[in-house]
Each structure stands twice: as C-alpha cells, then as structure tokens.
Amino acid sequence: MNAPLHAQKDQVKLIRKDAEKKVEVRIGEELFSAYLYPETIAKPVLYPIITSGGHEITRGFPLAPRPGERVDHPHHIGHWMNYGDVNGLDFWNNSDAIPADKKDKYGTIRHTGITALNENGNSAELEVTMDWLAPDGNVLLKEKTHFVFSSEGKKRTIDRITTLTAQDQPVSMKDNKEGVFAIRVARELEHPSNKPEIFTDANGIPTTVASLNNEGVSGKYRSSEGKEGDDVWGTRGEWVTLNGEIEKEKISVVILDHPSNPGYPTYWHARGYGLFSANPLGQKELSGGKDVLNFGLKAGESVTFRYRIMVYSGEIPGDEVLNSEAGSFGKEQ
C-alpha cells in the first residue's frame, strides 16, 4: 500500500555520492541540504540549506557565487562548526585565501567516515566522523557528529549533536570570538546596511565588508531575551531567530541552544552582514570582559554540543512558539 501523498512529500531521503564527496538530503524529490566534505575546503559543511518554498537561506560564495552578494570571509560556507583557538591554532578562519607561509597558524578538519545513514519517514539520520588536524598532521580532536534532518509541512529542521574527544594531549579552546556553530546567510537575509565596515579576525587580519544595494534585503535578528537587530551581538539567549523575505517568501531561520551545552545560554556572534553564529566559548570577547570561559579538555576527555536549526517558510513564528520549541528541545537527551 502506498504512503499518503503528504507523507511522501515530507519523506526525507539521504543520497550518498562518494565520488562527489557529499551526501544529499532530499525531502520528497527536492534538495534540502547536502553534507559536503571535499578537501578543497578546510572543513566539512552543510551546503546549501533550502526552504520548503525553494529558496536558499545560505550564501552562495565561495562555492557558487550569486550576483549582488558579498564576497568577504571565504571561510563562511553554508553551515559549519569549528573554533578560532584550539591549542593556539585557528580553525575558524582557515581557507584557500590564507597564504602558504601563514598556514602554520591554522587547523583543518577532515572527514574520515560515514558511520550511519538511516531514513525514518519524515526524518533521517546521518552519522559522520572527522579529525581536527594541526598543520603537521597531528590529530588534536576526533569528532563524531550525528545529524537529524526532518520535515513537518513547511518547517524543516536540522539537529546537530557533535562530540569532540581530545586525543593524546590536552586541548585548550581559549576564549575567542570566532566560533562555534554558524550559518552564513543569503544576501536577502542580511540586515540592510548603508556603510562599509571592517572586521578583524583572531589573527588581526582585517576584512572590509562593503555596503551594497539594499534592494530585497530584509533580515532582522531577534533573541529569546527580546534583543533585536545588531543589539543581539554579544548577548546571551536560549535562541535567536533571523526573519526576512526572499522573493516574497516569508522566512525565519532559528538556532536553538541546548541546556547541556557548555556556556549555556550561549553568547551570540550574530552579525548584520550575514554571519549567524552561537558561540558559547568566546565569553570574554563577546561580553566585553564581564564573563570568561577558557574551555579545555584533558587527554581522552570528551565534550558534546547539541544545537537545532529550524527553517520556517511562509510564517514568522512568535516568541511563544519559539519558547515552546526551545523547551521541547531542551528536554531531549
């Protein structure tokens, strides 16, 4: 007996394409996202992420540049998870834009395997492993990540549960603003901006973020604490939503923190130019010195981070809905 039409439409499928170094995530016949792990980028990413209405919430650059979008920060690709100071190495800012003579200051994350693919109707699970590598090839951290992709009508969800295990030496993750769980969004979901800005990375390297044509640019952040717009940056919250429109499709992109995470509720490294990031570890940088968390692991010790991304299409959920979602997520183990 065939499944009902609506169930087929919500069915989540994982399509493994080893030769292309990716796993596609499809809902019905439509692409939702893909886990990409080519060695041409410095870490595996989810790219693109697409609404049920067919619009990409992620920036195209540098993998598939689109007209009118910014071309800053080439390390901002789709969704990724890493950090700006791991035993003194910068995993966050690494990209092919780093000169060869500076590469000894940067770390790289390499995919090492797919350990599980399970399809469960309107959800699917993907388990992968990665190594966090020093420039000399030494493995600092082993990563095991469990993704859960799900579909419920016009809402699409990604859970990421990532366990990092220190290997034969202690690992320090010193307080740093560059982290941890991030999405670089499409131009339409940025905040309208009328002036160019300069941002400096952890190594003091400046990047100019140009002021562009604001036509169709409609993004606005809101946090669980009622902060809005650029005021969200450097504040704590259980969730942040980024609301906007792409070609008249109302879109809300939400990141939920989990109570079991270090540094809960997280600080938000959320920038109007399109970087949407939860950073629980960079507390001194983001609080202006009010809080400090120099996180670390002993040899053999592990830590687990759990986050949820929700992508709403056609509606902008209110605080009551998001507080309920955060409460439900917080009860999950």
Side-chain angles (χ1 to χ4, degrees):
M1 187 173 177
N2 291 332
L5 196 59
H6 67 85
Q8 291 177 21
K9 190 177 179 184
D10 275 345
Q11 187 174 14
V12 184
K13 304 171 186 174
L14 299 177
I15 301 167
R16 186 169 174 168
K17 296 188 173 181
D18 292 3
E20 298 174 52
K21 297 196 173 182
K22 69 178 179 179
V23 179
E24 289 185 351
V25 184
R26 292 188 172 270
I27 297 177
E29 299 306 316
E30 300 172 354
L31 183 67
F32 170 32
S33 189
Y35 170 74
L36 305 182
Y37 54 96
E39 293 191 0
T40 51
I41 54 179
K43 72 274 185 179
V45 299
L46 294 184
Y47 173 84
I49 300 173
I50 301 173
T51 70
S52 63
H55 291 110
E56 295 187 20
I57 67 155
T58 40
R59 178 178 71 164
F61 179 82
L63 300 184
R66 298 195 287 268
E69 68 180 6
R70 300 186 195 267
V71 292
D72 57 88
H73 300 84
H75 49 280
H76 291 175
I77 303 173
H79 157 66
W80 71 99
M81 183 173 173
N82 60 14
Y83 196 56
D85 190 334
V86 181
N87 284 12
L89 295 168
D90 185 351
F91 282 77
W92 178 272
N93 287 289
N94 198 2
S95 75
D96 59 7
I98 304 300
D101 63 346
K102 299 275 193 347
K103 279 286 193 178
D104 60 344
K105 296 181 175 66
Y106 295 83
T108 303
I109 303 176
R110 287 285 173 245
H111 168 90
T112 55
I114 296 170
T115 55
L117 294 99
N118 298 304
E119 296 176 351
N120 309 300
N122 71 339
S123 71
E125 300 171 79
L126 170 65
E127 287 189 2
V128 292
T129 56
M130 309 176 207
D131 285 345
W132 291 46
L133 301 169
D136 63 3
N138 186 37
V139 180
L140 301 181
L141 293 163
K142 283 198 171 285
E143 175 176 336
K144 181 178 180 181
T145 286
H146 178 199
F147 291 107
V148 183
F149 304 95
S150 58
S151 175
E152 182 185 347
K154 292 183 176 181
K155 184 179 81 173
R156 295 177 169 182
T157 301
I158 301 167
D159 285 3
R160 178 172 186 155
I161 303 99
T162 290
T163 299
L164 302 175
T165 304
Q167 295 304 288
D168 55 3
Q169 62 178 299
V171 171
S172 74
M173 301 178 84
K174 189 178 175 184
D175 209 296
N176 189 291
K177 75 177 173 65
E178 311 285 35
V180 163
F181 180 94
I183 308 170
R184 181 61 192 262
V185 300
R187 174 71 180 140
E188 294 91 337
L189 297 178
E190 294 175 14
H191 285 190
S193 172
N194 297 316
K195 65 183 193 302
E197 299 177 78
I198 297 176
F199 295 90
T200 303
D201 72 16
N203 293 296
I205 299 172
T207 297
T208 299
V209 178
S211 174
L212 303 175
N213 180 353
N214 285 316
E215 186 177 349
V217 178
S218 60
K220 190 172 187 181
Y221 291 114
R222 180 174 173 81
S223 80
S224 59
E225 304 307 298
K227 302 288 186 183
E228 292 195 334
D230 291 325
D231 290 341
V232 168
W233 189 89
T235 64
R236 289 184 184 268
E238 297 175 17
W239 53 260
V240 167
T241 181
L242 176 59
N243 303 323
E245 290 189 9
I246 300 180
E247 294 179 350
K248 298 186 179 178
E249 180 190 11
K250 286 184 179 178
I251 294 168
S252 186
V253 183
V254 187
I255 298 177
L256 303 180
D257 194 12
H258 192 277
S260 66
N261 288 339
Y264 176 87
T266 186
Y267 276 93
W268 295 90
H269 184 22
R271 295 289 198 185
Y273 68 79
L275 172 63
F276 185 6
S277 175
N279 184 356
L281 305 183
Q283 296 191 7
K284 183 178 181 181
E285 289 278 358
L286 290 161
S287 71
K290 181 165 65 84
D291 296 323
V292 178
L293 177 65
N294 287 315
F295 188 79
L297 296 170
K298 298 172 185 174
E301 194 175 9
S302 296
V303 63
T304 297
F305 295 88
R306 179 189 292 258
Y307 295 97
R308 174 170 290 170
I309 299 168
M310 300 187 297
V311 182
Y312 289 84
S313 172
E315 65 172 309
I316 304 296
D319 290 6
E320 188 174 334
V321 169
L322 297 182
N323 286 331
S324 176
E325 290 279 6
S328 299
F329 180 53
K331 292 172 185 172
E332 295 183 13
Q333 300 298 319

